[in-house]
Amino acid sequence: QVQLVESGGGLVQPGGSLRLSCAASRPVFMINAMGWFRQAPGKQRELVADITGGGRMNYQDAVKGRFTLSRDNAKSTVYLKMESLKPEDTAVYYCRAQYGGRDYWGQGTQVTVSS
């Protein structure tokens, strides 16, 4: 099993920045893939960005150049640095880990981009 604890959401003005953190109960390099998803009201949950155990990263087109995923193996934590935030980035952001053939999810953290 993998437990995930997220933090870092909040309210930010358009153009602002936030950094989300996802701490895993297992070493992140042992996890097949970790990533961030988001779900806006009335919409389906969608992939934002993810990273494989080998370090390959993948980003949704809408966030390329604005969001940066990183991993700290020593802290078993994956970060999502979000810059140049837009109102359409408003959503609940969820961390997901794929391990042992299963998906594990964090509790979600709200990100609101509004003036």
Side-chain angles (χ1 to χ4, degrees):
Q1 282 192 335
V2 180
Q3 283 79 44
L4 302 171
V5 179
E6 302 152 343
S7 61
L11 173 64
V12 64
Q13 292 186 342
S17 301
L18 283 173
R19 189 180 77 159
L20 305 182
S21 301
C22 176
S25 59
R26 289 184 179 272
V28 291
F29 65 88
M30 295 179 63
I31 296 173
N32 294 341
M34 287 189 69
W36 289 94
F37 285 69
R38 65 186 180 187
Q39 188 166 18
K43 295 188 177 181
Q44 290 188 333
R45 192 172 296 189
E46 61 180 7
L47 174 68
V48 177
D50 65 5
I51 180 170
T52 66
R56 187 179 73 242
M57 297 184 194
N58 175 52
Y59 293 90
Q60 180 195 115
D61 286 347
V63 307
K64 285 181 180 177
R66 300 189 297 121
F67 290 12
T68 304
L69 198 60
S70 61
R71 184 176 70 186
D72 186 332
N73 290 338
K75 296 182 178 180
S76 295
T77 299
V78 171
Y79 302 96
L80 183 68
K81 180 67 182 294
M82 305 184 293
E83 298 175 296
S84 301
L85 282 161
K86 304 175 181 181
E88 51 263 42
D89 294 317
T90 295
V92 178
Y93 284 69
Y94 296 91
C95 180
R96 184 196 73 179
Q98 291 183 312
Y99 179 79
R102 290 185 55 184
D103 287 348
Y104 296 88
W105 295 90
Q107 78 281 4
T109 185
Q110 177 70 46
V111 172
T112 302
V113 185
S114 175
S115 55

